Amino acid sequence: MSHTRSTAKARTVRDVVFVDGVRTPFGRAGEKGIYAGTRADDLVVKCIRELMRRNPALPAERIDEVAIAATTQTGDQGLTIGRTAALLAGLPRTVPGFAIDRMCAGAMTAVTTTASGIGFGAYDVVIAGGVEHMGNHPMGAGADPNPRFVAERIVDPAALNMGNTAENLHDRFPAITKDRTDAYAVASQTKLAAAYGKHQIQPDLVPVATMKPGQGWTVNTVDEPPRPGTSTEDLAALRTPFRAHGRVTAGNAAGLNDGATAALLASADAAEELGLPVKMRLVGYAFAGVEPEVMGIGPVPATEKALKNTGLNIEDIGLFEINEAFAVQVLSFLDHFGIADDDPRVNRYGGAIAVGHPLASSGVRLMNQLARQFEEDPSVRYGLTAMCIGLGMGATVIWENPHHADYGTEAAGPSTDTATTTETGAAA
């Protein structure tokens, strides 16, 4: 008897595109916040349903995966939330889903992980996003850090408190003064207010109806955290909770927030086949590790690696969406790359200091804002989204603008016909 051996079909890396992204309005965590009586998984459901409503050309059965991130994966953020949210949103039972955690970069990792699957050919269309209900699940609630972290000096104890890591970053870079961080924070509030005034934020917000005892139903259509009109004098009077006579305050850092995001990604071929819009093309990404006690510097080595992987230089980047966990973290990034504090390429719509940072959800907010800025400014070819990550990591994703005149003529990276999607985790 003769036997023949099958040969696996060769695969080429496919282009991955960002089709659409939405988010709930972000709320303040706590019993007075807009989502005090709302479940985290229901916030995700709102986002998934809105993506399907906005993209009627997409048959629900064509979705190959739903990846949803949460930092605290318990309660209404547990039970494999990607799968449960897909079922609750009414997607076909044939659509699988999973949960993912990379702390603040959860949604960003959900995007890069599923994008890699698209590039490899495992998926054609996916939904990726994140949620954090910090009112229901305060940061670190239920966590049990191994005592060896401290006993064996694996990490500095400050690494377990994000505010302390920000103070450490000030120590490392004394040129980043409290006055600078307060001025940066005021600018973030001012830019967000201006973006709201120009209707640049509202198109990607999903209205969420909430019920509070004694108050009835309310439809929430705007973010709750912003404080327009904040001045540097206001911020100078705030206490420094992480260190006596410190520099980090509630005014120059992101707050504790609730919210969810979701994005629709596809292969370029599938998007064309289904008539889906293309808002951005994924060029490349990288993750990097740094000392946990100064986690805010993480976006610097991540960006250096992403640029190296894609063959780009920092001068090629025309727009930056950098998560503002702390003002000092953004300023350390700008100083490293020689970018001015008020450079108009950076966080044009303001950032997390103003709008909020519901941990695992924030990565897709950055992408939503970059995609809208690409549409408004066809002169920009490349932009990046970046963020620091608890326990000492950074993440950067580089995107290409489909509205640019040179889009599609010659892709960045080592090959002209493939997208570069390299994950790196070496220590900086």
Side-chain angles (χ1 to χ4, degrees):
M1 177 182 286
S2 63
H3 296 275
T4 59
R5 178 176 293 178
S6 299
T7 301
K9 186 168 79 171
R11 294 183 182 272
T12 58
V13 179
R14 303 187 299 173
D15 275 341
V16 181
V17 297
F18 184 97
V19 171
D20 200 3
V22 298
R23 67 177 179 89
T24 67
F26 288 169
R28 295 176 187 159
E31 61 182 15
K32 295 182 179 180
I34 58 176
Y35 299 130
T38 304
R39 291 179 59 97
D41 47 12
D42 284 335
L43 295 178
V44 180
V45 168
K46 290 285 187 182
C47 292
I48 294 174
R49 287 178 173 170
E50 179 65 8
L51 281 177
M52 301 307 297
R53 187 194 70 79
R54 286 166 48 140
N55 295 278
L58 173 63
E61 62 271 15
R62 288 296 301 271
I63 298 172
D64 295 308
E65 189 71 273
V66 177
I68 300 297
T71 301
T72 306
Q73 297 195 8
T74 187
D76 55 341
Q77 292 182 179
L79 202 62
T80 313
I81 192 169
R83 172 61 171 170
T84 56
L87 292 171
L88 289 165
L91 297 182
R93 295 187 178 187
T94 53
V95 178
F98 66 97
I100 198 163
D101 172 27
R102 202 196 293 261
M103 300 186 83
C104 299
M108 188 171 282
T109 304
V111 166
T112 57
T113 299
T114 53
S116 295
I118 294 172
F120 185 73
Y123 310 135
D124 283 329
V125 183
V126 302
I127 290 175
V131 64
E132 209 73 49
H133 197 306
M134 299 179 77
N136 289 354
H137 309 286
M139 184 164 53
D144 181 20
N146 194 306
R148 291 177 51 237
F149 277 124
V150 176
E152 300 180 16
R153 299 184 180 181
I154 295 171
V155 299
D156 186 289
L160 303 179
N161 182 293
M162 299 302 101
N164 288 339
T165 68
E167 289 284 7
N168 289 343
L169 207 55
H170 272 288
D171 293 341
R172 180 168 292 194
F173 301 108
I176 305 177
T177 63
K178 184 177 183 299
D179 286 346
R180 275 184 71 188
T181 58
D182 285 352
Y184 181 88
V186 167
S188 181
Q189 296 281 358
T190 301
K191 287 190 286 187
L192 178 67
Y196 257 108
K198 296 176 182 177
H199 203 70
Q200 293 165 317
I201 302 295
Q202 295 91 324
D204 295 327
L205 297 182
V206 183
V208 179
T210 58
M211 166 60 132
K212 287 188 178 181
Q215 298 181 27
W217 287 94
T218 300
V219 178
N220 303 283
T221 59
V222 298
D223 295 301
E224 187 179 25
R227 296 181 181 275
T230 297
S231 69
T232 53
E233 290 76 18
D234 295 331
L235 299 189
L238 297 178
R239 67 187 186 93
T240 58
F242 305 107
R243 183 186 296 181
H245 309 293
R247 292 140 297 193
V248 179
T249 71
N252 58 34
L256 305 179
N257 305 110
D258 308 329
T261 62
L264 194 61
L265 307 172
S267 70
D269 290 342
E272 182 176 6
E273 172 200 347
L274 296 169
L276 298 174
V278 173
K279 294 187 175 181
M280 302 190 290
R281 182 183 77 87
L282 178 61
V283 179
Y285 67 86
F287 295 85
V290 298
E291 302 98 319
E293 58 269 25
V294 285
M295 65 95 191
I297 201 65
V300 169
T303 297
E304 290 176 332
K305 291 177 181 181
L307 292 170
K308 180 179 178 181
N309 292 340
T310 57
L312 293 171
N313 298 310
I314 195 68
E315 293 78 15
D316 295 315
I317 306 301
L319 287 168
F320 297 82
E321 276 293 321
I322 308 170
N323 192 47
E324 296 172 356
F326 301 93
V328 64
Q329 165 251 314
V330 180
L331 294 174
S332 66
F333 179 97
L334 299 182
D335 282 359
H336 179 86
F337 289 106
I339 301 170
D341 295 6
D342 59 352
D343 192 302
R345 297 173 297 168
V346 178
N347 293 6
R348 286 187 175 179
Y349 296 170
I353 288 172
V355 78
H357 174 31
L359 301 185
S361 72
S362 288
V364 167
R365 177 189 67 80
L366 301 175
M367 297 170 192
N368 288 345
Q369 296 192 179
L370 181 62
R372 193 155 296 283
Q373 291 164 40
F374 272 168
E375 184 178 9
E376 293 172 351
D377 193 349
S379 69
V380 174
R381 184 171 185 183
Y382 298 110
L384 66 76
T385 52
M387 55 200 319
C388 60
I389 309 166
L391 296 181
M393 293 181 283
T396 296
V397 187
I398 298 176
W399 303 89
E400 185 179 15
N401 185 356
H403 307 287
H404 190 273
D406 294 330
Y407 179 77
T409 58
E410 182 179 352
S415 170
T416 58
D417 60 357
T418 61
T420 301
T421 54
T422 301
E423 177 171 347
T424 56

